């Protein structure tokens, strides 16, 4: 039953990507007197954090993997949305191969990222170094000495 729910969720995300692509291509946002597609997406109050960022990824899956690479819904169900996002940089650059797609079907998400060269964690002179390829634009990033820092607004407010 859980696997069926997961597949239904993936289908819904894929359909959401298709509908968002149609809305963007037909400029539905301008018909509604909104200033930008980003404003339109934010007004939809999608059920995910950073909704414009996720909407862009879902649109990318539809545009680059369905329309341009001609992947079927069955193939995308097998791959899953999370791993499909990691195929986007190569698809945008027209470098996505059938071998990459086959790997996406069988590899874990982490192994796929490593295989695609999108993630590498090393230690250089005692500091963490993260090599990453942005899943949206394909830019190579290197983060040195990275650590999580709690922001002041994340801390509980003090009364008084």
């Amino acid at each position: 039953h859980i696997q069926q729910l997961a597949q239904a969720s993936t289908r819904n995300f894929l359909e959401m990507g298709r509908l968002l692509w149609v809305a963007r291509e037909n400029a539905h946002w301008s018909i509604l007197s909104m200033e930008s597609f980003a404003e339109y997406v934010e007004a939809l109050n999608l059920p995910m954090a950073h909704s414009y960022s996720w909407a862009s990824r879902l649109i990318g899956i539809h545009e680059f993997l369905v329309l341009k690479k001609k992947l079927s819904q069955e193939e995308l169900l097998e791959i899953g949305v999370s791993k499909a996002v990691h195929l986007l940089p190569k698809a945008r650059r027209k470098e996505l191969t059938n071998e990459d797609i086959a790997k996406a079907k069988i590899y874990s998400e982490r192994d796929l990222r490593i295989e695609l060269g999108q993630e590498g964690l090393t230690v250089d002179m005692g500091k963490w170094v993260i090599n990453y390829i942005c899943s949206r634009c394909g830019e190579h990033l290197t983060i040195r000495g990275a650590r999580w820092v709690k922001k002041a607004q994340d801390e509980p407010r003090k009364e008084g």
Side-chain angles (χ1 to χ4, degrees), residues 86 109-124 127-134 140-146:
H86 296 295
E109 183 178 355
R110 182 177 185 278
D111 289 344
L112 179 64
R113 285 194 318 257
I114 291 168
E115 182 68 25
L116 295 173
Q118 294 177 351
E119 181 179 283
L121 183 61
T122 59
V123 178
D124 181 22
K127 294 188 178 184
W128 291 103
V129 177
I130 301 170
N131 295 301
Y132 177 76
I133 297 177
C134 177
H140 292 259
L141 306 168
T142 299
I143 304 167
R144 297 184 178 281

Side-chain angles (χ1 to χ4, degrees), residues 2-160:
I2 292 173
Q3 198 168 28
Q4 290 171 335
L5 287 173
Q7 284 197 334
S9 177
T10 299
R11 277 189 197 92
N12 288 337
F13 276 117
L14 296 174
E15 179 63 7
M16 196 180 322
R18 186 187 72 77
L19 292 172
L20 287 164
W21 180 84
V22 168
R24 187 191 68 186
E25 293 301 302
N26 293 318
H28 289 175
W29 53 272
S30 63
I31 296 167
L32 299 170
S33 301
M34 295 186 179
E35 292 188 26
S36 67
F37 182 68
E39 182 183 350
Y40 169 78
V41 170
E42 293 299 329
L44 292 173
N45 292 317
L46 300 176
M48 66 271 283
H50 312 292
S51 59
Y52 181 72
S53 177
W54 258 104
S56 296
R57 291 177 185 133
L58 295 175
I59 290 167
I61 290 170
H62 182 75
E63 182 174 356
F64 292 98
L65 299 182
V66 174
L67 296 178
K68 293 185 178 176
K69 195 62 181 170
K70 306 292 187 206
L71 292 184
S72 68
Q73 184 175 33
E74 291 75 29
E75 287 176 296
L76 286 168
L77 286 172
E78 191 175 352
I79 292 169
V81 172
S82 295
K83 290 191 286 183
V85 166
H86 296 295
L87 297 175
L88 289 177
K90 286 186 91 170
R92 285 186 174 106
R93 294 188 309 262
K94 298 179 182 174
E95 297 172 359
L96 186 64
T97 65
N98 291 335
E99 184 179 338
D100 294 327
I101 294 165
K103 289 176 183 176
K105 292 176 183 179
I106 59 172
Y107 283 21
S108 69
E109 183 178 355
R110 182 177 185 278
D111 289 344
L112 179 64
R113 285 194 318 257
I114 291 168
E115 182 68 25
L116 295 173
Q118 294 177 351
E119 181 179 283
L121 183 61
T122 59
V123 178
D124 181 22
M125 297 178 62
K127 294 188 178 184
W128 291 103
V129 177
I130 301 170
N131 295 301
Y132 177 76
I133 297 177
C134 177
S135 62
R136 290 176 63 193
C137 67
E139 182 179 349
H140 292 259
L141 306 168
T142 299
I143 304 167
R144 297 184 178 281
R147 65 184 175 100
W148 293 107
V149 177
K150 192 171 197 173
K151 294 181 183 178
Q153 71 256 24
D154 293 340
E155 295 185 19
R157 292 184 181 201
K158 295 179 184 173
E159 299 294 324

